[in-house]
Amino acid sequence: MHFTKLSPSLFYTDIKTGLKSFVDCLEFTIAHDEINSANPFCVVEKDGLGILIFQNKELAGQFSPEIRLVTDNIDEVYARVSGKFPELLHPNLNKVTLRPWGAKEFAMVDGQIGIIIQQW
């Protein structure tokens, strides 16, 4: 059995929150756009990763996931986030920190989901 990609679905009360985190801050691009439809939805992509972002108040109320994005240059990502979007830094992990399991990490939170940026 072989898998080539994982594409999580994330639900937001307001899709603009997800777009700020992934498109504006983390520089994903919109690969599929139904943002202005009756059921706002889009697919964002970067470096072979794909995330489905939905505006759905009911499901957003049920799911508040945490995802990890692994990078080979955490300092570059941290500089961008802390310099341009410091309000997205999670108060409990707002600096690049070496964790007991050997990974360097910092975290973001946008009010709906948690995003841990990690480098092994």
Side-chain angles (χ1 to χ4, degrees), residues 3 19 31-32 55-57 66 68 100-101 103 113-114:
F3 299 101
L19 295 175
H32 179 81
Q55 180 171 296
N56 184 304
K57 185 177 181 178
E66 175 182 281
R68 293 178 188 270
W101 45 88
I113 67 164

Side-chain angles (χ1 to χ4, degrees), residues 30-51:
I30 297 173
H32 179 81
D33 182 349
E34 293 184 31
I35 296 167
N36 295 315
S37 70
N39 297 301
F41 157 74
C42 69
V43 177
V44 296
E45 293 182 342
K46 181 177 180 75
D47 302 326
L49 305 174
I51 299 171

Side-chain angles (χ1 to χ4, degrees), residues 56-68:
N56 184 304
K57 185 177 181 178
E58 181 181 341
L59 292 176
Q62 295 176 25
F63 301 104
S64 296
E66 175 182 281
I67 64 170
R68 293 178 188 270

Side-chain angles (χ1 to χ4, degrees), residues 14-116:
D14 183 349
I15 198 167
K16 292 175 189 157
T17 303
L19 295 175
K20 177 181 178 184
S21 294
F22 288 98
V23 176
D24 299 342
C25 181
L26 297 175
E27 300 180 332
F28 279 64
T29 59
I30 297 173
H32 179 81
D33 182 349
E34 293 184 31
I35 296 167
N36 295 315
S37 70
N39 297 301
F41 157 74
C42 69
V43 177
V44 296
E45 293 182 342
K46 181 177 180 75
D47 302 326
L49 305 174
I51 299 171
L52 292 79
I53 298 176
F54 296 88
Q55 180 171 296
N56 184 304
K57 185 177 181 178
E58 181 181 341
L59 292 176
Q62 295 176 25
F63 301 104
S64 296
E66 175 182 281
I67 64 170
R68 293 178 188 270
L69 293 173
V70 179
T71 180
D72 57 2
N73 192 342
I74 197 167
D75 296 321
E76 176 186 28
V77 179
Y78 180 77
R80 168 141 178 100
V81 174
S82 64
K84 294 191 177 208
F85 298 90
E87 70 278 8
L88 294 177
L89 291 170
H90 193 292
N92 295 334
L93 193 57
N94 60 4
K95 302 274 188 235
V96 175
T97 304
L98 181 61
R99 308 298 275 174
W101 45 88
K104 293 196 292 187
E105 298 178 344
F106 77 93
M108 299 170 50
V109 64
D110 64 11
Q112 182 61 41
I113 67 164
I115 304 167
I116 297 175

